Amino acid sequence: KKNSIVWRGTTTGPFFIKNSNKASRSSLIERWALNKSPIINVGLSHICQSAKINNWKSYEKYIKPCINVAEQLKYKYILSVEGNDVASNLKWVMYSNSVVFMPLPTIETWFMEGLLKPWVHFIPVKNDFSDLEDLIKWANNNQSKCETIVRNANKYVSLFLNDKNEQKLI
């Protein structure tokens, strides 16, 4: 796998609202999409929702080619960022053999995101993504710890794949 991180997403969620309580996708792309770092591959797949109202032309420069799941799985690290609600890629990324990087979750669904523990199930990233490059470098130098995080994430997701447990909940 590539010793780098990938993220593709859209302008969903509170894209233009930046505050310390929730990570902003605009902060992510403004900081990293045009950056030439070989370990960060971040970009918008397309523009939608409020971005079309709020000076969307200025965000066209951040559009990059879409990357399907099979291609994303070639990366050791995959970024998961909330949009309108929970990050839609979180479940499959946690069940992959890639390490999840994400800001602390703020949305709770049936997946019980509030039970996910930083440094156990994922590598926590600051809401402004300013520490992203340093965290990737840390991960590249701490592969055994990353393997443990991946195993823990896989184990967490496996709790939701048990039909017997699912039937007990119904």
Side-chain angles (χ1 to χ4, degrees), residues 7-9 12-13 22-23 25 78-94 100-111 113 116 129:
W7 182 82
R8 286 296 184 279
T12 58
K22 186 169 173 75
R25 289 179 171 200
I78 302 176
L79 193 56
S80 187
V81 184
E82 293 176 346
N84 286 330
D85 55 21
V86 67
S88 59
N89 71 344
L90 181 60
K91 287 98 178 153
W92 71 260
V93 175
M94 285 190 62
V100 177
F101 282 63
M102 69 178 194
L104 296 177
T106 63
I107 306 292
E108 187 86 20
T109 69
W110 59 268
F111 195 60
E113 290 83 358
L116 296 174
F129 302 95

PDB file of all heavy atoms in Angstrom, residues 7-9 12-13 22-23 25 78-94 100-111 113 116 129:
ATOM      1  N   TRP A   7      -8.356  11.262   0.379  1.00  0.00           N
ATOM      2  CA  TRP A   7      -9.737  11.689   0.663  1.00  0.00           C
ATOM      3  C   TRP A   7     -10.300  12.341  -0.578  1.00  0.00           C
ATOM      4  O   TRP A   7      -9.654  13.194  -1.203  1.00  0.00           O
ATOM      5  CB  TRP A   7      -9.807  12.687   1.815  1.00  0.00           C
ATOM      6  CG  TRP A   7     -11.220  13.091   2.132  1.00  0.00           C
ATOM      7  CD1 TRP A   7     -12.124  12.413   2.906  1.00  0.00           C
ATOM      8  CD2 TRP A   7     -11.906  14.271   1.681  1.00  0.00           C
ATOM      9  NE1 TRP A   7     -13.316  13.092   2.957  1.00  0.00           N
ATOM     10  CE2 TRP A   7     -13.217  14.248   2.204  1.00  0.00           C
ATOM     11  CE3 TRP A   7     -11.553  15.342   0.867  1.00  0.00           C
ATOM     12  CZ2 TRP A   7     -14.158  15.243   1.965  1.00  0.00           C
ATOM     13  CZ3 TRP A   7     -12.484  16.335   0.629  1.00  0.00           C
ATOM     14  CH2 TRP A   7     -13.771  16.282   1.171  1.00  0.00           C
ATOM     15  N   ARG A   8     -11.495  11.930  -0.932  1.00  0.00           N
ATOM     16  CA  ARG A   8     -12.293  12.620  -1.940  1.00  0.00           C
ATOM     17  C   ARG A   8     -13.666  12.828  -1.324  1.00  0.00           C
ATOM     18  O   ARG A   8     -14.205  11.946  -0.660  1.00  0.00           O
ATOM     19  CB  ARG A   8     -12.463  11.804  -3.222  1.00  0.00           C
ATOM     20  CG  ARG A   8     -11.247  11.733  -4.088  1.00  0.00           C
ATOM     21  CD  ARG A   8     -10.845  13.112  -4.631  1.00  0.00           C
ATOM     22  NE  ARG A   8      -9.725  13.003  -5.532  1.00  0.00           N
ATOM     23  CZ  ARG A   8      -8.459  12.896  -5.159  1.00  0.00           C
ATOM     24  NH1 ARG A   8      -8.138  12.872  -3.880  1.00  0.00           N
ATOM     25  NH2 ARG A   8      -7.506  12.806  -6.043  1.00  0.00           N
ATOM     26  N   GLY A   9     -14.216  13.983  -1.557  1.00  0.00           N
ATOM     27  CA  GLY A   9     -15.526  14.285  -1.012  1.00  0.00           C
ATOM     28  C   GLY A   9     -16.135  15.460  -1.741  1.00  0.00           C
ATOM     29  O   GLY A   9     -15.591  15.953  -2.734  1.00  0.00           O
ATOM     30  N   THR A  12     -20.418  19.073   1.050  1.00  0.00           N
ATOM     31  CA  THR A  12     -21.583  18.862   1.912  1.00  0.00           C
ATOM     32  C   THR A  12     -21.295  19.305   3.335  1.00  0.00           C
ATOM     33  O   THR A  12     -20.157  19.568   3.706  1.00  0.00           O
ATOM     34  CB  THR A  12     -21.995  17.375   1.926  1.00  0.00           C
ATOM     35  OG1 THR A  12     -20.882  16.609   2.371  1.00  0.00           O
ATOM     36  CG2 THR A  12     -22.448  16.923   0.563  1.00  0.00           C
ATOM     37  N   GLY A  13     -22.363  19.346   4.121  1.00  0.00           N
ATOM     38  CA  GLY A  13     -22.238  19.719   5.523  1.00  0.00           C
ATOM     39  C   GLY A  13     -22.058  21.214   5.676  1.00  0.00           C
ATOM     40  O   GLY A  13     -22.289  21.988   4.752  1.00  0.00           O
ATOM     41  N   LYS A  22     -16.541  21.445  15.172  1.00  0.00           N
ATOM     42  CA  LYS A  22     -16.748  20.493  14.091  1.00  0.00           C
ATOM     43  C   LYS A  22     -15.734  20.761  12.987  1.00  0.00           C
ATOM     44  O   LYS A  22     -15.472  21.896  12.640  1.00  0.00           O
ATOM     45  CB  LYS A  22     -18.174  20.621  13.538  1.00  0.00           C
ATOM     46  CG  LYS A  22     -18.513  19.568  12.502  1.00  0.00           C
ATOM     47  CD  LYS A  22     -20.003  19.587  12.209  1.00  0.00           C
ATOM     48  CE  LYS A  22     -20.381  18.682  11.086  1.00  0.00           C
ATOM     49  NZ  LYS A  22     -20.374  17.273  11.410  1.00  0.00           N
ATOM     50  N   ALA A  23     -15.189  19.677  12.470  1.00  0.00           N
ATOM     51  CA  ALA A  23     -14.233  19.810  11.374  1.00  0.00           C
ATOM     52  C   ALA A  23     -14.947  20.308  10.125  1.00  0.00           C
ATOM     53  O   ALA A  23     -16.076  19.932   9.854  1.00  0.00           O
ATOM     54  CB  ALA A  23     -13.571  18.470  11.102  1.00  0.00           C
ATOM     55  N   ARG A  25     -14.884  20.599   6.005  1.00  0.00           N
ATOM     56  CA  ARG A  25     -14.282  20.092   4.779  1.00  0.00           C
ATOM     57  C   ARG A  25     -13.559  21.201   4.022  1.00  0.00           C
ATOM     58  O   ARG A  25     -12.565  20.952   3.359  1.00  0.00           O
ATOM     59  CB  ARG A  25     -15.352  19.442   3.901  1.00  0.00           C
ATOM     60  CG  ARG A  25     -15.849  18.131   4.463  1.00  0.00           C
ATOM     61  CD  ARG A  25     -16.916  17.521   3.599  1.00  0.00           C
ATOM     62  NE  ARG A  25     -17.198  16.172   4.058  1.00  0.00           N
ATOM     63  CZ  ARG A  25     -17.781  15.253   3.324  1.00  0.00           C
ATOM     64  NH1 ARG A  25     -18.167  15.536   2.088  1.00  0.00           N
ATOM     65  NH2 ARG A  25     -17.995  14.051   3.812  1.00  0.00           N
ATOM     66  N   ILE A  78      -6.712   6.354   5.123  1.00  0.00           N
ATOM     67  CA  ILE A  78      -7.875   6.953   4.474  1.00  0.00           C
ATOM     68  C   ILE A  78      -8.511   7.922   5.460  1.00  0.00           C
ATOM     69  O   ILE A  78      -8.763   7.577   6.617  1.00  0.00           O
ATOM     70  CB  ILE A  78      -8.894   5.890   4.008  1.00  0.00           C
ATOM     71  CG1 ILE A  78      -8.218   4.898   3.047  1.00  0.00           C
ATOM     72  CG2 ILE A  78     -10.107   6.561   3.353  1.00  0.00           C
ATOM     73  CD1 ILE A  78      -9.105   3.743   2.607  1.00  0.00           C
ATOM     74  N   LEU A  79      -8.775   9.113   4.988  1.00  0.00           N
ATOM     75  CA  LEU A  79      -9.379  10.151   5.816  1.00  0.00           C
ATOM     76  C   LEU A  79     -10.894  10.022   5.767  1.00  0.00           C
ATOM     77  O   LEU A  79     -11.471   9.750   4.709  1.00  0.00           O
ATOM     78  CB  LEU A  79      -8.939  11.515   5.288  1.00  0.00           C
ATOM     79  CG  LEU A  79      -9.188  12.742   6.134  1.00  0.00           C
ATOM     80  CD1 LEU A  79      -8.565  12.626   7.512  1.00  0.00           C
ATOM     81  CD2 LEU A  79      -8.624  13.965   5.428  1.00  0.00           C
ATOM     82  N   SER A  80     -11.520  10.199   6.913  1.00  0.00           N
ATOM     83  CA  SER A  80     -12.978  10.170   7.014  1.00  0.00           C
ATOM     84  C   SER A  80     -13.423  11.488   7.645  1.00  0.00           C
ATOM     85  O   SER A  80     -12.974  11.828   8.746  1.00  0.00           O
ATOM     86  CB  SER A  80     -13.412   8.975   7.878  1.00  0.00           C
ATOM     87  OG  SER A  80     -14.797   8.810   7.866  1.00  0.00           O
ATOM     88  N   VAL A  81     -14.285  12.232   6.947  1.00  0.00           N
ATOM     89  CA  VAL A  81     -14.692  13.557   7.414  1.00  0.00           C
ATOM     90  C   VAL A  81     -16.211  13.683   7.304  1.00  0.00           C
ATOM     91  O   VAL A  81     -16.783  13.409   6.254  1.00  0.00           O
ATOM     92  CB  VAL A  81     -14.030  14.682   6.571  1.00  0.00           C
ATOM     93  CG1 VAL A  81     -14.394  16.051   7.124  1.00  0.00           C
ATOM     94  CG2 VAL A  81     -12.518  14.505   6.529  1.00  0.00           C
ATOM     95  N   GLU A  82     -16.846  14.092   8.389  1.00  0.00           N
ATOM     96  CA  GLU A  82     -18.292  14.277   8.382  1.00  0.00           C
ATOM     97  C   GLU A  82     -18.694  15.328   7.357  1.00  0.00           C
ATOM     98  O   GLU A  82     -17.956  16.283   7.112  1.00  0.00           O
ATOM     99  CB  GLU A  82     -18.790  14.695   9.770  1.00  0.00           C
ATOM    100  CG  GLU A  82     -18.628  13.605  10.809  1.00  0.00           C
ATOM    101  CD  GLU A  82     -19.037  14.045  12.204  1.00  0.00           C
ATOM    102  OE1 GLU A  82     -19.197  15.265  12.456  1.00  0.00           O
ATOM    103  OE2 GLU A  82     -19.190  13.154  13.068  1.00  0.00           O
ATOM    104  N   GLY A  83     -19.882  15.139   6.781  1.00  0.00           N
ATOM    105  CA  GLY A  83     -20.448  16.101   5.845  1.00  0.00           C
ATOM    106  C   GLY A  83     -21.770  16.591   6.408  1.00  0.00           C
ATOM    107  O   GLY A  83     -21.808  17.243   7.449  1.00  0.00           O
ATOM    108  N   ASN A  84     -22.870  16.236   5.734  1.00  0.00           N
ATOM    109  CA  ASN A  84     -24.196  16.597   6.249  1.00  0.00           C
ATOM    110  C   ASN A  84     -24.460  15.935   7.591  1.00  0.00           C
ATOM    111  O   ASN A  84     -25.138  16.484   8.439  1.00  0.00           O
ATOM    112  CB  ASN A  84     -25.292  16.178   5.271  1.00  0.00           C
ATOM    113  CG  ASN A  84     -25.334  17.068   4.061  1.00  0.00           C
ATOM    114  OD1 ASN A  84     -24.997  18.241   4.127  1.00  0.00           O
ATOM    115  ND2 ASN A  84     -25.729  16.500   2.938  1.00  0.00           N
ATOM    116  N   ASP A  85     -23.970  14.735   7.746  1.00  0.00           N
ATOM    117  CA  ASP A  85     -24.072  14.017   9.013  1.00  0.00           C
ATOM    118  C   ASP A  85     -22.821  13.156   9.150  1.00  0.00           C
ATOM    119  O   ASP A  85     -21.742  13.616   8.838  1.00  0.00           O
ATOM    120  CB  ASP A  85     -25.380  13.219   9.106  1.00  0.00           C
ATOM    121  CG  ASP A  85     -25.593  12.258   7.941  1.00  0.00           C
ATOM    122  OD1 ASP A  85     -24.622  11.884   7.275  1.00  0.00           O
ATOM    123  OD2 ASP A  85     -26.736  11.882   7.703  1.00  0.00           O
ATOM    124  N   VAL A  86     -22.968  11.918   9.568  1.00  0.00           N
ATOM    125  CA  VAL A  86     -21.812  11.037   9.743  1.00  0.00           C
ATOM    126  C   VAL A  86     -21.052  10.894   8.426  1.00  0.00           C
ATOM    127  O   VAL A  86     -21.627  11.004   7.345  1.00  0.00           O
ATOM    128  CB  VAL A  86     -22.279   9.667  10.284  1.00  0.00           C
ATOM    129  CG1 VAL A  86     -23.103   8.932   9.261  1.00  0.00           C
ATOM    130  CG2 VAL A  86     -21.121   8.837  10.750  1.00  0.00           C
ATOM    131  N   ALA A  87     -19.754  10.676   8.522  1.00  0.00           N
ATOM    132  CA  ALA A  87     -18.944  10.463   7.313  1.00  0.00           C
ATOM    133  C   ALA A  87     -19.403   9.164   6.647  1.00  0.00           C
ATOM    134  O   ALA A  87     -19.396   8.110   7.268  1.00  0.00           O
ATOM    135  CB  ALA A  87     -17.472  10.386   7.686  1.00  0.00           C
ATOM    136  N   SER A  88     -19.808   9.249   5.399  1.00  0.00           N
ATOM    137  CA  SER A  88     -20.403   8.090   4.736  1.00  0.00           C
ATOM    138  C   SER A  88     -19.404   6.969   4.467  1.00  0.00           C
ATOM    139  O   SER A  88     -19.799   5.820   4.304  1.00  0.00           O
ATOM    140  CB  SER A  88     -21.090   8.509   3.436  1.00  0.00           C
ATOM    141  OG  SER A  88     -20.167   9.118   2.569  1.00  0.00           O
ATOM    142  N   ASN A  89     -18.117   7.257   4.468  1.00  0.00           N
ATOM    143  CA  ASN A  89     -17.129   6.212   4.212  1.00  0.00           C
ATOM    144  C   ASN A  89     -16.647   5.509   5.477  1.00  0.00           C
ATOM    145  O   ASN A  89     -15.898   4.538   5.407  1.00  0.00           O
ATOM    146  CB  ASN A  89     -15.927   6.774   3.448  1.00  0.00           C
ATOM    147  CG  ASN A  89     -15.045   7.694   4.274  1.00  0.00           C
ATOM    148  OD1 ASN A  89     -15.431   8.182   5.339  1.00  0.00           O
ATOM    149  ND2 ASN A  89     -13.852   7.957   3.781  1.00  0.00           N
ATOM    150  N   LEU A  90     -17.066   5.953   6.645  1.00  0.00           N
ATOM    151  CA  LEU A  90     -16.484   5.479   7.899  1.00  0.00           C
ATOM    152  C   LEU A  90     -16.583   3.964   8.073  1.00  0.00           C
ATOM    153  O   LEU A  90     -15.608   3.317   8.459  1.00  0.00           O
ATOM    154  CB  LEU A  90     -17.136   6.187   9.091  1.00  0.00           C
ATOM    155  CG  LEU A  90     -16.592   5.779  10.466  1.00  0.00           C
ATOM    156  CD1 LEU A  90     -15.098   6.072  10.572  1.00  0.00           C
ATOM    157  CD2 LEU A  90     -17.357   6.508  11.557  1.00  0.00           C
ATOM    158  N   LYS A  91     -17.738   3.381   7.778  1.00  0.00           N
ATOM    159  CA  LYS A  91     -17.915   1.944   8.044  1.00  0.00           C
ATOM    160  C   LYS A  91     -16.987   1.091   7.180  1.00  0.00           C
ATOM    161  O   LYS A  91     -16.295   0.215   7.672  1.00  0.00           O
ATOM    162  CB  LYS A  91     -19.366   1.514   7.846  1.00  0.00           C
ATOM    163  CG  LYS A  91     -20.284   2.005   8.958  1.00  0.00           C
ATOM    164  CD  LYS A  91     -20.988   3.250   8.509  1.00  0.00           C
ATOM    165  CE  LYS A  91     -21.956   3.772   9.538  1.00  0.00           C
ATOM    166  NZ  LYS A  91     -22.147   5.206   9.429  1.00  0.00           N
ATOM    167  N   TRP A  92     -16.967   1.351   5.871  1.00  0.00           N
ATOM    168  CA  TRP A  92     -16.126   0.507   5.023  1.00  0.00           C
ATOM    169  C   TRP A  92     -14.646   0.758   5.258  1.00  0.00           C
ATOM    170  O   TRP A  92     -13.832  -0.157   5.172  1.00  0.00           O
ATOM    171  CB  TRP A  92     -16.500   0.608   3.536  1.00  0.00           C
ATOM    172  CG  TRP A  92     -16.183   1.879   2.820  1.00  0.00           C
ATOM    173  CD1 TRP A  92     -17.043   2.893   2.537  1.00  0.00           C
ATOM    174  CD2 TRP A  92     -14.924   2.262   2.246  1.00  0.00           C
ATOM    175  NE1 TRP A  92     -16.405   3.898   1.845  1.00  0.00           N
ATOM    176  CE2 TRP A  92     -15.096   3.525   1.645  1.00  0.00           C
ATOM    177  CE3 TRP A  92     -13.664   1.669   2.182  1.00  0.00           C
ATOM    178  CZ2 TRP A  92     -14.074   4.208   0.998  1.00  0.00           C
ATOM    179  CZ3 TRP A  92     -12.632   2.352   1.529  1.00  0.00           C
ATOM    180  CH2 TRP A  92     -12.848   3.600   0.946  1.00  0.00           C
ATOM    181  N   VAL A  93     -14.282   2.005   5.590  1.00  0.00           N
ATOM    182  CA  VAL A  93     -12.870   2.282   5.853  1.00  0.00           C
ATOM    183  C   VAL A  93     -12.418   1.555   7.120  1.00  0.00           C
ATOM    184  O   VAL A  93     -11.330   0.980   7.162  1.00  0.00           O
ATOM    185  CB  VAL A  93     -12.600   3.802   5.963  1.00  0.00           C
ATOM    186  CG1 VAL A  93     -11.160   4.066   6.350  1.00  0.00           C
ATOM    187  CG2 VAL A  93     -12.920   4.493   4.663  1.00  0.00           C
ATOM    188  N   MET A  94     -13.272   1.545   8.137  1.00  0.00           N
ATOM    189  CA  MET A  94     -12.906   0.859   9.374  1.00  0.00           C
ATOM    190  C   MET A  94     -12.812  -0.653   9.177  1.00  0.00           C
ATOM    191  O   MET A  94     -12.168  -1.335   9.965  1.00  0.00           O
ATOM    192  CB  MET A  94     -13.898   1.183  10.485  1.00  0.00           C
ATOM    193  CG  MET A  94     -13.704   2.565  11.039  1.00  0.00           C
ATOM    194  SD  MET A  94     -14.669   2.867  12.522  1.00  0.00           S
ATOM    195  CE  MET A  94     -13.996   1.651  13.646  1.00  0.00           C
ATOM    196  N   VAL A 100      -7.830   4.481   9.603  1.00  0.00           N
ATOM    197  CA  VAL A 100      -8.744   5.626   9.529  1.00  0.00           C
ATOM    198  C   VAL A 100      -8.102   6.809  10.251  1.00  0.00           C
ATOM    199  O   VAL A 100      -7.663   6.688  11.392  1.00  0.00           O
ATOM    200  CB  VAL A 100     -10.099   5.310  10.198  1.00  0.00           C
ATOM    201  CG1 VAL A 100     -11.003   6.530  10.190  1.00  0.00           C
ATOM    202  CG2 VAL A 100     -10.766   4.119   9.535  1.00  0.00           C
ATOM    203  N   PHE A 101      -8.059   7.945   9.574  1.00  0.00           N
ATOM    204  CA  PHE A 101      -7.700   9.224  10.180  1.00  0.00           C
ATOM    205  C   PHE A 101      -8.975  10.045  10.168  1.00  0.00           C
ATOM    206  O   PHE A 101      -9.652  10.119   9.127  1.00  0.00           O
ATOM    207  CB  PHE A 101      -6.654   9.960   9.330  1.00  0.00           C
ATOM    208  CG  PHE A 101      -5.246   9.476   9.468  1.00  0.00           C
ATOM    209  CD1 PHE A 101      -4.887   8.191   9.111  1.00  0.00           C
ATOM    210  CD2 PHE A 101      -4.262  10.331   9.945  1.00  0.00           C
ATOM    211  CE1 PHE A 101      -3.577   7.757   9.218  1.00  0.00           C
ATOM    212  CE2 PHE A 101      -2.942   9.906  10.061  1.00  0.00           C
ATOM    213  CZ  PHE A 101      -2.602   8.617   9.699  1.00  0.00           C
ATOM    214  N   MET A 102      -9.331  10.656  11.293  1.00  0.00           N
ATOM    215  CA  MET A 102     -10.533  11.495  11.306  1.00  0.00           C
ATOM    216  C   MET A 102     -10.562  12.391  12.528  1.00  0.00           C
ATOM    217  O   MET A 102      -9.992  12.064  13.565  1.00  0.00           O
ATOM    218  CB  MET A 102     -11.793  10.637  11.262  1.00  0.00           C
ATOM    219  CG  MET A 102     -12.073   9.822  12.488  1.00  0.00           C
ATOM    220  SD  MET A 102     -13.619   8.909  12.290  1.00  0.00           S
ATOM    221  CE  MET A 102     -13.914   8.397  13.966  1.00  0.00           C
ATOM    222  N   PRO A 103     -11.238  13.529  12.392  1.00  0.00           N
ATOM    223  CA  PRO A 103     -11.512  14.345  13.573  1.00  0.00           C
ATOM    224  C   PRO A 103     -12.472  13.567  14.481  1.00  0.00           C
ATOM    225  O   PRO A 103     -13.146  12.627  14.030  1.00  0.00           O
ATOM    226  CB  PRO A 103     -12.202  15.588  13.004  1.00  0.00           C
ATOM    227  CG  PRO A 103     -11.820  15.604  11.560  1.00  0.00           C
ATOM    228  CD  PRO A 103     -11.685  14.168  11.163  1.00  0.00           C
ATOM    229  N   LEU A 104     -12.546  13.948  15.741  1.00  0.00           N
ATOM    230  CA  LEU A 104     -13.478  13.273  16.647  1.00  0.00           C
ATOM    231  C   LEU A 104     -14.889  13.368  16.084  1.00  0.00           C
ATOM    232  O   LEU A 104     -15.320  14.446  15.653  1.00  0.00           O
ATOM    233  CB  LEU A 104     -13.426  13.900  18.035  1.00  0.00           C
ATOM    234  CG  LEU A 104     -12.094  13.763  18.772  1.00  0.00           C
ATOM    235  CD1 LEU A 104     -12.162  14.501  20.109  1.00  0.00           C
ATOM    236  CD2 LEU A 104     -11.722  12.308  18.984  1.00  0.00           C
ATOM    237  N   PRO A 105     -15.625  12.260  16.083  1.00  0.00           N
ATOM    238  CA  PRO A 105     -16.984  12.298  15.524  1.00  0.00           C
ATOM    239  C   PRO A 105     -17.923  13.150  16.381  1.00  0.00           C
ATOM    240  O   PRO A 105     -17.800  13.193  17.600  1.00  0.00           O
ATOM    241  CB  PRO A 105     -17.411  10.827  15.527  1.00  0.00           C
ATOM    242  CG  PRO A 105     -16.503  10.140  16.482  1.00  0.00           C
ATOM    243  CD  PRO A 105     -15.240  10.945  16.554  1.00  0.00           C
ATOM    244  N   THR A 106     -18.835  13.842  15.710  1.00  0.00           N
ATOM    245  CA  THR A 106     -19.826  14.667  16.419  1.00  0.00           C
ATOM    246  C   THR A 106     -21.244  14.160  16.193  1.00  0.00           C
ATOM    247  O   THR A 106     -22.169  14.619  16.847  1.00  0.00           O
ATOM    248  CB  THR A 106     -19.757  16.144  15.959  1.00  0.00           C
ATOM    249  OG1 THR A 106     -20.103  16.211  14.572  1.00  0.00           O
ATOM    250  CG2 THR A 106     -18.376  16.729  16.183  1.00  0.00           C
ATOM    251  N   ILE A 107     -21.414  13.233  15.267  1.00  0.00           N
ATOM    252  CA  ILE A 107     -22.717  12.682  14.932  1.00  0.00           C
ATOM    253  C   ILE A 107     -22.788  11.237  15.419  1.00  0.00           C
ATOM    254  O   ILE A 107     -21.852  10.465  15.210  1.00  0.00           O
ATOM    255  CB  ILE A 107     -22.970  12.713  13.401  1.00  0.00           C
ATOM    256  CG1 ILE A 107     -22.786  14.120  12.844  1.00  0.00           C
ATOM    257  CG2 ILE A 107     -24.335  12.136  13.058  1.00  0.00           C
ATOM    258  CD1 ILE A 107     -23.811  15.126  13.278  1.00  0.00           C
ATOM    259  N   GLU A 108     -23.891  10.890  16.056  1.00  0.00           N
ATOM    260  CA  GLU A 108     -24.093   9.540  16.569  1.00  0.00           C
ATOM    261  C   GLU A 108     -25.193   8.857  15.764  1.00  0.00           C
ATOM    262  O   GLU A 108     -26.274   9.407  15.589  1.00  0.00           O
ATOM    263  CB  GLU A 108     -24.499   9.610  18.043  1.00  0.00           C
ATOM    264  CG  GLU A 108     -24.580   8.291  18.737  1.00  0.00           C
ATOM    265  CD  GLU A 108     -23.242   7.831  19.298  1.00  0.00           C
ATOM    266  OE1 GLU A 108     -22.343   8.662  19.479  1.00  0.00           O
ATOM    267  OE2 GLU A 108     -23.109   6.634  19.563  1.00  0.00           O
ATOM    268  N   THR A 109     -24.887   7.656  15.244  1.00  0.00           N
ATOM    269  CA  THR A 109     -25.876   6.854  14.515  1.00  0.00           C
ATOM    270  C   THR A 109     -25.922   5.461  15.134  1.00  0.00           C
ATOM    271  O   THR A 109     -25.311   5.206  16.185  1.00  0.00           O
ATOM    272  CB  THR A 109     -25.493   6.730  13.019  1.00  0.00           C
ATOM    273  OG1 THR A 109     -24.314   5.913  12.900  1.00  0.00           O
ATOM    274  CG2 THR A 109     -25.274   8.095  12.389  1.00  0.00           C
ATOM    275  N   TRP A 110     -26.575   4.544  14.444  1.00  0.00           N
ATOM    276  CA  TRP A 110     -26.642   3.151  14.888  1.00  0.00           C
ATOM    277  C   TRP A 110     -25.250   2.539  15.027  1.00  0.00           C
ATOM    278  O   TRP A 110     -25.074   1.547  15.730  1.00  0.00           O
ATOM    279  CB  TRP A 110     -27.484   2.319  13.914  1.00  0.00           C
ATOM    280  CG  TRP A 110     -26.935   2.332  12.504  1.00  0.00           C
ATOM    281  CD1 TRP A 110     -27.266   3.198  11.498  1.00  0.00           C
ATOM    282  CD2 TRP A 110     -25.923   1.471  11.970  1.00  0.00           C
ATOM    283  NE1 TRP A 110     -26.524   2.932  10.376  1.00  0.00           N
ATOM    284  CE2 TRP A 110     -25.696   1.873  10.633  1.00  0.00           C
ATOM    285  CE3 TRP A 110     -25.190   0.401  12.474  1.00  0.00           C
ATOM    286  CZ2 TRP A 110     -24.769   1.240   9.810  1.00  0.00           C
ATOM    287  CZ3 TRP A 110     -24.265  -0.229  11.648  1.00  0.00           C
ATOM    288  CH2 TRP A 110     -24.070   0.195  10.328  1.00  0.00           C
ATOM    289  N   PHE A 111     -24.256   3.119  14.375  1.00  0.00           N
ATOM    290  CA  PHE A 111     -22.879   2.623  14.433  1.00  0.00           C
ATOM    291  C   PHE A 111     -22.194   3.016  15.742  1.00  0.00           C
ATOM    292  O   PHE A 111     -21.094   2.586  16.014  1.00  0.00           O
ATOM    293  CB  PHE A 111     -22.111   3.164  13.218  1.00  0.00           C
ATOM    294  CG  PHE A 111     -20.810   2.478  12.938  1.00  0.00           C
ATOM    295  CD1 PHE A 111     -20.753   1.120  12.653  1.00  0.00           C
ATOM    296  CD2 PHE A 111     -19.626   3.199  12.926  1.00  0.00           C
ATOM    297  CE1 PHE A 111     -19.543   0.491  12.381  1.00  0.00           C
ATOM    298  CE2 PHE A 111     -18.416   2.578  12.648  1.00  0.00           C
ATOM    299  CZ  PHE A 111     -18.380   1.219  12.377  1.00  0.00           C
ATOM    300  N   GLU A 113     -20.836   5.846  16.926  1.00  0.00           N
ATOM    301  CA  GLU A 113     -19.557   6.517  16.721  1.00  0.00           C
ATOM    302  C   GLU A 113     -18.948   7.038  18.015  1.00  0.00           C
ATOM    303  O   GLU A 113     -17.724   7.135  18.137  1.00  0.00           O
ATOM    304  CB  GLU A 113     -19.715   7.659  15.713  1.00  0.00           C
ATOM    305  CG  GLU A 113     -19.960   7.213  14.303  1.00  0.00           C
ATOM    306  CD  GLU A 113     -21.413   6.866  13.972  1.00  0.00           C
ATOM    307  OE1 GLU A 113     -22.272   6.937  14.873  1.00  0.00           O
ATOM    308  OE2 GLU A 113     -21.675   6.514  12.815  1.00  0.00           O
ATOM    309  N   LEU A 116     -16.171   4.974  19.570  1.00  0.00           N
ATOM    310  CA  LEU A 116     -14.873   4.862  18.905  1.00  0.00           C
ATOM    311  C   LEU A 116     -13.834   5.653  19.696  1.00  0.00           C
ATOM    312  O   LEU A 116     -14.074   6.801  20.088  1.00  0.00           O
ATOM    313  CB  LEU A 116     -14.950   5.387  17.471  1.00  0.00           C
ATOM    314  CG  LEU A 116     -15.879   4.609  16.548  1.00  0.00           C
ATOM    315  CD1 LEU A 116     -15.993   5.318  15.197  1.00  0.00           C
ATOM    316  CD2 LEU A 116     -15.391   3.181  16.370  1.00  0.00           C
ATOM    317  N   PHE A 129      -7.250  20.303  10.577  1.00  0.00           N
ATOM    318  CA  PHE A 129      -6.375  19.419   9.798  1.00  0.00           C
ATOM    319  C   PHE A 129      -4.919  19.890   9.754  1.00  0.00           C
ATOM    320  O   PHE A 129      -4.143  19.431   8.936  1.00  0.00           O
ATOM    321  CB  PHE A 129      -6.930  19.217   8.381  1.00  0.00           C
ATOM    322  CG  PHE A 129      -8.316  18.642   8.391  1.00  0.00           C
ATOM    323  CD1 PHE A 129      -9.422  19.469   8.305  1.00  0.00           C
ATOM    324  CD2 PHE A 129      -8.513  17.283   8.509  1.00  0.00           C
ATOM    325  CE1 PHE A 129     -10.710  18.951   8.345  1.00  0.00           C
ATOM    326  CE2 PHE A 129      -9.793  16.744   8.545  1.00  0.00           C
ATOM    327  CZ  PHE A 129     -10.903  17.580   8.462  1.00  0.00           C
TER     328      PHE A 129
END
